[in-house]
Amino acid sequence: MNRRIGSTALKRLMTEYKELTTNPPEGITAGPITEDDFFTWEALIPGPDDTPYEGGVFSATLTFPKDYPLSPPVMKFTCPMFHPNVYADGTVCISILHPPGDDPNMYEHASERWSPVQSVEKILLSVVSMLAEPNDESGANVEASKMWREDRKKFDEVVRANTLRALGL
């Protein structure tokens, strides 16, 4: 049974990878780090226009569980990322990456959380949207959430500095 679940996940990931290479979302690239491991991907995400992330290209990994797409992957930025919805270790905290079903904290609707109809492309596009419009009500990074709410100018300065660092400038 476990072998079958893993092969279902592998087939799905191979299909999604093919789709992403033939029809990628604008500016985004993603795929397996090596062809020997389809369960660990690398992604490059552009900073959205008209945000302090603009001009940046942010690297991240996606680690898929063996029961994908029944369970969501874990996405983690591998470059400096100061954002209300990103933990200090780089892990992204957005609804689409939360396990399916009802939220034990009753903050999110089940329809906002992961479901097998979601895809890598939808995750990546959701992360671009998250960069443009943080959710400061459920902050993974309390300092960034507070700064976003109370001192947007300083928030923008910190983000621009991180964006330049991510570019190696």
Side-chain angles (χ1 to χ4, degrees), residues 10 23 25 30 34 39 44 63 77 79 104 124 161 165:
L10 181 59
N23 189 19
T34 71
F39 290 87
L44 295 174
T63 306
F77 281 101
C79 61
L124 297 172
R165 206 168 25 255

Side-chain angles (χ1 to χ4, degrees), residues 129-142:
S129 293
M130 172 204 81
L131 291 176
E133 297 177 31
N135 177 356
D136 64 337
E137 292 176 24
S138 67
N141 180 327
V142 175

Side-chain angles (χ1 to χ4, degrees), residues 60-135:
T61 57
L62 290 134
T63 306
F64 296 89
K66 297 295 181 206
D67 68 344
Y68 181 81
L70 298 177
S71 297
V74 172
M75 184 168 180
K76 208 178 230 191
F77 281 101
T78 56
C79 61
M81 179 55 70
F82 187 74
H83 189 281
N85 307 117
V86 178
Y87 287 101
D89 71 354
T91 302
V92 176
C93 180
I94 55 175
S95 300
I96 192 175
L97 291 174
H98 294 160
D102 292 325
D103 179 4
N105 300 318
M106 298 174 49
Y107 177 75
E108 303 165 325
H109 295 286
S111 63
E112 298 172 305
R113 295 166 69 90
W114 179 259
S115 77
V117 300
Q118 306 292 10
S119 65
V120 175
E121 180 180 9
K122 287 180 184 172
I123 293 167
L124 297 172
L125 292 171
S126 294
V127 170
V128 172
S129 293
M130 172 204 81
L131 291 176
E133 297 177 31
N135 177 356

Side-chain angles (χ1 to χ4, degrees), residues 52 80 155-167 169:
F155 176 87
D156 289 355
E157 288 171 7
V158 170
V159 168
R160 281 194 193 94
N162 273 349
T163 299
L164 291 173
R165 206 168 25 255
L167 291 169
L169 301 173

